[in-house]
Amino acid sequence: MDELDRRIIGILQQDGRASNAKIARQLGVSEGTIRRRLKRLIEDEAIQVLALPEPSKLGYSTEAIVALQVDPGKLEDVAAELARAPETLSVSVTTGAFDVFAWVALGSPEQLHSFLLGVVGNISGVKRSETFVTLSVKKRSFAPLS
């Protein structure tokens, strides 16, 4: 990945609907160059072009981070099972006091309660969980290169 790729990604991070022609004009290169670069970036799985929904606008008024401590040898199984749950937006295997963090969005605190009991509570290998309920979101972005 070179500087042109990074600049293309930066433009898409600001406007995911920017056309190849618009990106080409901004960067002073041909539209064909942008088309080829984007095709390669997507095929190499360096980027995904997608919509980033705002959970609260879609009826998911309760968001939380669920932190899990997991039995040795069960880490990948626990993370995979949690990732299959439709309520999870992100699942990460981590270092530190917790082994797995899951970001979840649900319609209500009652649904979060049901998720914790019915999903997290039934995953084999979970030793302990701690839930951090989101009170307000100040920034929502997946833009580490900007």
Side-chain angles (χ1 to χ4, degrees):
M1 182 177 302
D2 63 12
E3 184 58 29
L4 181 57
D5 290 334
R6 285 182 175 78
R7 292 177 68 198
I8 292 168
I9 292 168
I11 290 169
L12 288 172
Q13 287 175 312
Q14 298 302 312
D15 178 6
R17 298 181 68 195
S19 69
N20 291 346
K22 179 179 177 181
I23 296 169
R25 279 192 306 275
Q26 282 186 260
L27 299 179
V29 298
S30 74
E31 186 176 350
T33 296
I34 299 301
R35 188 174 37 258
R36 285 188 299 278
R37 294 284 185 124
L38 279 174
K39 183 176 189 284
R40 182 181 43 77
L41 288 167
I42 292 167
E43 286 175 352
D44 291 349
E45 298 180 349
I47 64 169
Q48 294 178 337
V49 180
L50 49 86
L52 179 60
E54 178 57 46
S56 65
K57 302 284 185 183
L58 300 175
Y60 301 102
S61 61
T62 302
E63 293 182 55
I65 302 293
V66 180
L68 304 175
Q69 289 178 342
V70 177
D71 288 329
K74 293 285 196 168
L75 184 58
E76 293 300 323
D77 293 338
V78 168
E81 190 166 341
L82 198 53
R84 284 191 289 274
E87 299 87 353
T88 59
L89 303 175
S90 174
V91 177
S92 301
V93 175
T94 63
T95 62
F98 293 99
D99 303 305
V100 176
F101 282 91
W103 169 29
V104 300
L106 301 107
S108 68
E110 294 79 16
Q111 288 177 355
L112 174 60
H113 181 249
S114 295
F115 172 79
L116 294 171
L117 292 177
V119 176
V120 176
N122 286 318
I123 298 175
S124 175
V126 173
K127 294 192 311 190
R128 176 178 176 270
S129 71
E130 188 169 342
T131 303
F132 304 88
V133 176
T134 301
L135 299 177
S136 68
V137 176
K138 303 303 182 194
K139 177 181 179 180
R140 188 179 314 278
S141 173
F142 292 97
L145 299 178
S146 293

